[in-house]
Amino acid sequence: MPDAEERVVGTLRYTVDHSVEGMAHGRLVRSPYPHARLVDVDVSGALAQDGVLRVLTGADIERAVEIPNPYFGLTRRDQPPLAIGSARYVGDPVALVIAETPQSARDGAGAVIVEYDELPYVIEPMEALAPGAPQLHEEWPGNECGEWRLHRGDVDLAMSQATHVFEATYTSPMANAVPFEPHVAIAAWDDDSLDVWTATQWPSAVRGELAHMFDTDPGNVQIRVFPLGGGYGAKSQLKIEPIVAVAAKLVGRPVRLELERDEVFLTTGKHPAVMHIRTGVDAEGRFVAREIDLVYNGGAYAVMTPKAVAQGLLRSIGPYRFPNIRIRSRGVYTNTVPSGSFRGAMTNQAAFAYESHADEIAEGLGIDPFDLRERNLLQEGDVFASGQVMHDIHFHELLRDVAAVIGWGEESAPPTPGKAVGKGIAVIVKTTPPGTRSEVRVEMRADGDVLVHTNSVDMGQGVLGTLAQLTAHHLGVDIGKVKVQDPDSSTFDSMTAGSRTTFVADHAIGEACESIRRQVAELADVGGHPSPHTAVEYQEILLGAGITSLIGEGAYQSPPSDALSNPLDIRGEVADHWHQGAVAVEVAVDVETGKVEILRCHGAAWAGRVVNPVRARQQSEGSIIFGLGPALFEEVIVADGQVTNPNLSDYMIPSIVDVPIELTSSSLESPDADAAIHGVGEMTIPAVAPAIANAISRATGARVRHMPMTAERVLRAIVGEPE
Amino acid sequence: MSERLTLEVNGDEVVVEVPADEALVNTLRDRLGLRSVRPTCGLGICGTCTVQLDGAVASSCLLLTVQVEGRSIRTSEGLTNDDGGLSRVQQAFVDNGAYQCAYCIPGMVVTVEACLAESPDATMEEVREYLAGNLCRCGTYVSILEAVTELVRGERE
C-alpha cells in the first residue's frame, strides 16, 4: 500500500481527524423509550448553557422551508434525521444540541427535557407480524418491511415422495460490526452548495439522498471520504449524514457530529433472523425438495431491509441443487435498532442455517457430511433455484481444499480429559448485489503521473492499492506512477460493499485505460512513436504532442435483469457472478462447561485471479476472525427494548488470544491468466459459524441451532436442556 | 478549572493547560496533535489509545492528564528514529503487511515495542498474552504475529 508507513506510524488521516474552520459540534439526545409519542421538548435549560448555539428537534426540521423532504431512505423514505411525532426505538435521535465545543454540546444535551407519552412496543418479529401488534409506520401496515418469494418445481409432491424429510429452525441475533472509527461527519454549506466529509462506504448514495432532502441537484452536493477506520457494512447507506446536513443548514455554520461508542450500537446492526428449513431427500441423500421460511428483523426504519430480504432469500439457498424449492423471505419492522449491512450481509444468518442443516441431514442418514455435499453441490452449468444457469462454479474444489487441509476423514487430535474434539466443514455461496454501477476516470499526465478518480472507499481492504495495481497492469506503467484519489463525488460508485469492488473496478479501469491507449496511439501515429509501454514513453508522446493530460473513462454496470421485478416470483438472472467460499475447523469442547476452543481453522475463497496475495489472505483470514465473534460470543442483547450491552466490556469482540494457533487460508485461482477476478472480502465469514456448529456436533453429539454458540448454549445442548 | 503542567512527550518537554477532568488521550490528540492515539471503547479494553508511560504500556483513555504530570509519555509517532525513519518494529509491520484499516495499529506498535523491550526473546504465547489488550476488528492478528516472530527470531537487523 502506498500509505503503509502512515498507517503503521499513525499519521494517516481519517474522517475523525478532519476539521473545518468555524465548525460547531453536535450532540444527540436519544429516546429512552422503545416507542413513544413526543409531547414536548423543553430546550430552555440547554440554551442557557455556555456555548450552546441551538437545539434542533424533529418539529424544527418538519417546519423548515429549507428542507422540503425531511425523510430519507434508500428503499423507503421513512426515517427523519430527528424523530418527528414519535420515537420508534431506544436510541432514536429526538434532538440535536449544537454548541461551540463538544463538551458544551454534551452539557447541553444533558439539560434537554423531553416529555414522552409511552406507546405499546414490539421487539420480536413474529409478534410484530401478529394481528393487533403495535404498529410502527402508518404507511406500512402490519409492520411489513419487504416480502419476497421464489418457487420452482412441485415442492409438495416431491416432499411427499421423499424418502426422508428433515426440518429445523435456526436463529441468529443482532450483532454490531464495531468499526473502531465511529460514525463521524461534518457538513458545511456555501450558499446552495453542500460539502459533507463523512466516514461512509456509500458516498454516491449519500449524495443522491441528501440532494433529494434539500431538493437540489446532486451536482451541488460533494461527499468527501477519507480512508475509513473500519466499515464492515456498518458505514453503508446513510447514517448521521442527514443530521449534520440539516443542522449546518439551519444554524448557518459547519456542524460536526461524532458518535460515542454506545451510540454506534444504537445506530445500526446485523439483521436478527429466524430461518425454518424443511428438506426432502432420496435414499442416496440427494436433495429433492426444500422449503424455507425466513424472517428478518428490520428494526425501526427500513434502511435497505425491503430489498435486502430479496438478497436474504437468494442467499438462503446455498450451494446446492434443488429441483423443487419454495422460499418466503420477509422483513419486519420492530421497535429496535434499524438493521443494516454487516460483513457477509444476509448470508451469515442463512449459511448458519443451511450448512448446519446439511450436517443434520448427513447425520440422520448416516452419510459422511463431506459425501453428502459432494452429491448435492452445484457444478458448472447447473441451474440455480432462480432458473439461472451457473458458470465459473467451484464449490467442489473449495470443499476438497478445506477438507484436505483439516484432514477430513483422519482421526481428530487425541482428546484431553474432559474435552471432546471434532471437525466441521461448511460451504457457502453469496450472490452479488444487483443493479450496481461503478465509474472510473483515469488521467494520464504529461508529468508522468497517472491519477485515478473513483468513488470507491478504502476501509482497510486496501482498495487504493488494488486500484493502483490494476491501473498499472492495464496501462503497463510502474505502480509508483499511479495515484488513486480519495472519493470526492467526481465519479459515481453505487457502494463499496458486497465484495464487488475489485471485480467491477477491473472492468471499469480496463475500459478507461483502453481509452487512454487508443488516444495515445493516435497521437503516436502522428508523431511516429511505437506503442508505449512505460510511463516515460507515454510522457514523451504527450509532451511531443504538446498535451498536458489525457482522460480515459470507464464504467461497470451490472447486466440488466428483471429477476426481481415481481417480489412474489423471483425468477431468472440473479447474480452477475457467484461468490464462493468454504471453511473447515477442528474444535475442542469442554464437556463440563460447554466452552468451545478452535484448535485449527482453514478457509478458502474462489478468487479466480489474485490481484494481491497479501491482501487476499488478509481478507480471508480477517473474515474468519471477524466471524468467530458472532459465532461464539457476540450478541447485542435487547431487554425490554433496551440494548443492555452497548460497550466493548459487555459486548466482546475477538482478541488475539481467540485466534486459532493454526489459522490458514487459500485463494483458489483459475489456470486461465485472464480469468475473472472475484472479490474475496466475505467468502469465509458466513461459513465460520456453521463449520463450528458442525464440529461441536461431531465432537459431542449436541446440536446448537442458535448463534452465538456460547458455553451456556453448548452445555445446555450437551445435557439436553432447553434454552 | 484548568491546570498548567509539564509532561515529557516523545522526548520533549511540553507544557499544557488542561481541565482537571481531561483524559490523557484527549490532551495528546487534541492539544498536541498526536492523532495515532485513538479513543475507541473509552474503557481501557481495546488498546487503540495505548501509550508508553515511563516505558510501560497504559491506556490513555483511563488516565487524567493531571495524574501524569512530569511523567514520560511515548506514542507511535515518537518511536520513529532520530532521522524520522521507522523503528524496527514499525518497519516489520510495514514489511509484513501487518495493517488493514490500521486504526488499531499504532497502539499495537506501542505494545509490541514495550513487550520486546521487556522480553526480547518472548515466546509467541507470551506475545499473544501481551497483545490481548489490543483489539483489531479487521482481524490482522496473524500478520502482526508474523511481524513479531521475525523480530524475536532476530531475522531483522
Side-chain angles (χ1 to χ4, degrees):
Chain A
M1 284 284 284
D3 55 12
E5 293 192 7
E6 290 91 329
R7 283 179 192 262
V8 169
V9 175
T11 50
L12 184 79
R13 290 179 74 79
Y14 302 88
T15 307
V16 76
D17 298 313
H18 190 62
S19 58
V20 170
E21 191 158 343
M23 70 186 183
H25 300 265
R27 173 79 181 180
L28 288 163
V29 176
R30 295 172 180 273
S31 171
Y33 298 108
H35 200 188
R37 197 170 61 82
L38 300 170
V39 179
D40 184 52
V41 183
D42 180 356
V43 303
S44 56
L47 288 172
Q49 302 271 329
D50 273 353
V52 172
L53 301 164
R54 177 109 187 242
V55 181
L56 293 177
T57 65
D60 296 325
I61 293 172
E62 194 180 24
R63 74 169 81 92
V65 291
E66 299 93 328
I67 310 159
N69 299 305
Y71 290 84
F72 66 93
L74 296 171
T75 53
R76 294 176 180 176
R77 292 196 169 108
D78 62 357
Q79 189 169 7
L82 301 171
I84 295 173
S86 64
R88 294 186 173 88
Y89 72 97
V90 173
D92 208 353
V94 296
L96 179 75
V97 177
I98 303 157
E100 293 289 354
T101 66
Q103 187 58 48
S104 305
R106 193 172 295 128
D107 293 345
V112 172
I113 297 167
V114 185
E115 190 185 331
Y116 297 92
D117 180 11
E118 284 186 70
L119 298 169
Y121 65 88
V122 62
I123 301 300
E124 291 301 326
M126 297 317 287
E127 291 171 19
L129 286 169
Q135 301 289 301
L136 270 87
H137 298 271
E138 261 178 39
E139 315 86 293
W140 310 106
N143 297 317
E144 177 272 322
C145 196
E147 175 167 350
W148 296 78
R149 296 183 191 206
L150 176 148
H151 66 273
R152 181 181 166 80
D154 190 334
V155 170
D156 296 328
L157 181 67
M159 225 39 114
S160 70
Q161 294 172 344
T163 315
H164 303 274
V165 174
F166 294 87
E167 188 166 6
T169 300
Y170 307 85
T171 62
S172 44
M174 189 189 302
N176 190 275
V178 192
F180 279 12
E181 179 195 31
H183 303 281
V184 55
I186 304 171
W189 287 87
D190 182 5
D191 286 332
D192 291 330
S193 172
L194 171 62
D195 280 289
V196 179
W197 292 261
T198 176
T200 182
Q201 295 172 233
W202 292 32
S204 297
V206 172
R207 182 191 209 197
E209 204 54 17
L210 292 182
H212 176 264
M213 288 181 76
F214 296 98
D215 195 17
T216 187
D217 189 274
N220 294 328
V221 181
Q222 293 80 42
I223 308 297
R224 303 181 194 282
V225 189
F226 292 93
L228 304 186
Y232 326 109
K235 293 172 181 170
S236 300
Q237 300 100 31
L238 286 86
K239 295 291 182 277
I240 60 172
E241 297 87 356
I243 298 174
V244 288
V246 159
K249 187 76 180 173
L250 296 182
V251 298
R253 272 179 63 174
V255 173
R256 178 181 189 273
L257 178 62
E258 174 185 343
L259 298 191
E260 301 280 332
R261 183 54 46 190
D262 60 337
E263 295 183 285
V264 173
F265 280 87
L266 298 175
T267 299
T268 186
K270 174 189 179 190
H271 284 85
V274 178
M275 181 156 151
H276 182 79
I277 312 183
R278 256 178 100 217
T279 307
V281 296
D282 69 14
E284 281 77 45
R286 277 186 291 266
F287 301 158
V288 297
R290 175 161 288 183
E291 188 169 17
I292 299 169
D293 189 62
L294 190 47
V295 175
Y296 284 103
N297 186 344
Y301 297 101
V303 192
M304 287 303 285
T305 298
K307 280 188 182 171
V309 292
Q311 292 308 310
L313 182 153
L314 294 168
R315 294 170 186 175
S316 74
I317 295 162
Y320 302 110
R321 270 188 308 273
F322 293 105
N324 305 285
I325 189 163
R326 183 164 63 216
I327 314 173
R328 178 173 64 166
S329 171
R330 286 175 289 175
V332 187
Y333 284 119
T334 66
N335 295 106
T336 56
V337 175
S339 301
S341 303
F342 184 94
R343 192 175 193 175
M346 314 310 268
T347 311
N348 297 325
Q349 302 93 326
F352 175 64
Y354 65 67
E355 280 302 82
S356 296
H357 195 59
D359 264 47
E360 292 200 61
I361 293 170
E363 195 186 324
L365 297 174
I367 298 177
D368 185 291
F370 177 91
D371 295 335
L372 183 90
R373 286 178 174 80
E374 282 271 341
R375 282 172 214 182
N376 288 287
L377 282 173
L378 289 156
Q379 301 182 39
E380 185 68 25
D382 273 347
V383 178
F384 192 58
S386 67
Q388 177 173 352
V389 178
M390 301 176 83
H391 297 295
D392 208 0
I393 296 305
H394 306 276
F395 297 115
H396 283 89
E397 291 153 78
L398 290 162
L399 173 66
R400 288 167 198 167
D401 178 84
V402 298
V405 173
I406 210 72
W408 190 262
E410 297 163 22
E411 289 230 5
S412 275
T416 48
K419 297 254 178 90
V421 293
K423 296 171 185 172
I425 46 176
V427 186
I428 68 101
V429 58
K430 185 171 188 280
T431 50
T432 47
T436 66
R437 178 176 175 81
S438 293
E439 298 169 357
V440 171
R441 201 171 79 247
V442 177
E443 187 181 350
M444 160 74 61
R445 293 161 64 124
D447 64 9
D449 284 346
V450 180
L451 304 187
V452 181
H453 299 268
T454 82
N455 231 17
S456 301
V457 176
D458 199 305
M459 47 195 180
Q461 82 285 47
V463 72
L464 299 180
T466 298
L467 299 191
Q469 205 172 322
L470 292 170
T471 306
H473 168 75
H474 282 290
L475 279 178
V477 302
D478 184 81
I479 190 169
K481 289 286 170 194
V482 183
K483 297 178 171 57
V484 182
Q485 311 296 297
D486 281 335
D488 62 0
S489 292
S490 68
T491 52
F492 179 86
D493 187 11
S494 298
M495 58 181 83
T496 307
S499 303
R500 63 186 279 285
T501 303
T502 309
F503 168 79
V504 300
D506 187 47
H507 286 76
I509 287 175
E511 201 174 291
C513 293
E514 182 54 37
S515 159
I516 287 191
R517 279 179 167 285
R518 252 195 330 267
Q519 295 176 59
V520 171
E522 282 168 23
L523 293 174
D525 270 352
V526 177
H529 286 279
S531 178
H533 290 294
T534 67
V536 175
E537 286 164 10
Y538 280 106
Q539 205 177 346
E540 280 172 3
I541 294 169
L542 261 66
L543 288 172
I547 286 173
T548 52
S549 75
L550 284 178
I551 305 281
E553 292 186 335
Y556 175 81
Q557 173 80 50
S558 309
S561 166
D562 59 2
L564 301 180
S565 57
N566 179 0
L568 298 184
D569 186 18
I570 294 180
R571 196 170 287 273
E573 307 281 313
V574 293
D576 54 11
H577 65 293
W578 305 88
H579 291 319
Q580 302 157 63
V583 165
V585 296
E586 183 170 15
V587 305
V589 183
D590 186 320
V591 294
E592 285 176 8
T593 66
K595 185 172 166 37
V596 176
E597 183 189 355
I598 313 295
L599 301 173
R600 295 193 293 145
C601 182
H602 178 76
W606 178 256
R609 178 157 48 99
V610 172
V611 177
N612 182 299
V614 173
R615 287 199 286 272
R617 179 185 155 209
Q618 281 182 333
Q619 286 302 307
S620 282
E621 294 175 12
S623 204
I624 287 172
I625 293 166
F626 194 102
L628 291 174
L632 294 174
F633 42 80
E634 283 181 41
E635 174 171 10
V636 174
I637 295 167
V638 181
D640 299 330
Q642 306 272 343
V643 172
T644 62
N645 58 343
N647 61 70
L648 294 191
S649 174
D650 299 313
Y651 184 98
M652 290 192 284
I653 63 172
S655 79
I656 201 164
V657 294
D658 295 307
V659 177
I661 300 282
E662 281 184 51
L663 172 60
T664 54
S665 65
S666 316
S667 297
L668 301 188
E669 292 188 276
S670 162
D672 177 1
D674 292 324
I677 295 170
H678 287 238
V680 294
E682 307 167 286
M683 302 316 109
T684 53
I685 180 173
V688 172
I692 293 172
N694 292 339
I696 292 170
S697 171
R698 288 172 68 81
T700 65
R703 173 58 60 179
V704 185
R705 298 191 186 89
H706 309 281
M707 285 169 75
M709 292 168 276
T710 58
E712 181 178 338
R713 285 209 171 104
V714 173
L715 186 60
R716 285 184 189 279
I718 290 172
V719 300
E721 259 183 41
E723 284 210 30
Chain B
M1 274 281 285
S2 281
E3 287 191 33
R4 195 179 156 83
L5 48 97
T6 305
L7 310 170
E8 188 200 311
V9 179
N10 293 333
D12 297 327
E13 271 203 1
V14 297
V15 178
V16 292
E17 201 170 317
V18 297
D21 63 351
E22 181 166 297
L24 180 60
V25 61
N26 297 105
T27 304
L28 295 172
R29 274 180 74 75
D30 300 334
R31 295 180 196 275
L32 303 177
L34 296 167
R35 309 295 289 188
S36 78
V37 187
R38 298 166 182 142
T40 295
C41 70
L43 300 167
I45 286 171
C46 72
T48 63
C49 69
T50 304
V51 297
Q52 288 180 13
L53 185 64
D54 295 329
V57 294
S59 294
S60 61
C61 72
L62 295 184
L63 293 165
L64 296 176
T65 305
V66 295
Q67 284 180 291
V68 297
E69 178 166 19
R71 311 269 300 265
S72 162
I73 295 147
R74 198 164 284 275
T75 70
S76 178
E77 290 98 335
L79 292 168
T80 52
N81 301 326
D82 294 340
D83 59 3
L86 301 188
S87 74
R88 57 192 281 274
V89 170
Q90 290 167 334
Q91 191 63 50
F93 272 64
V94 169
D95 294 346
N96 283 276
Y99 56 86
Q100 289 186 62
C101 88
Y103 209 74
C104 67
I105 296 298
M108 292 271 185
V109 166
V110 168
T111 302
V112 170
E113 295 264 8
C115 171
L116 296 183
E118 194 179 298
S119 39
D121 305 318
T123 64
M124 272 313 103
E125 199 45 45
E126 286 165 345
V127 173
R128 281 163 67 102
E129 284 302 324
Y130 217 96
L131 283 171
N134 287 82
L135 303 178
C136 170
R137 191 52 156 168
C138 298
T140 318
Y141 298 123
V142 178
S143 302
I144 290 165
L145 284 174
E146 285 168 356
V148 179
T149 303
E150 267 188 24
L151 290 162
V152 171
R153 287 191 190 150
E155 288 166 6
R156 307 184 66 86
E157 285 303 305

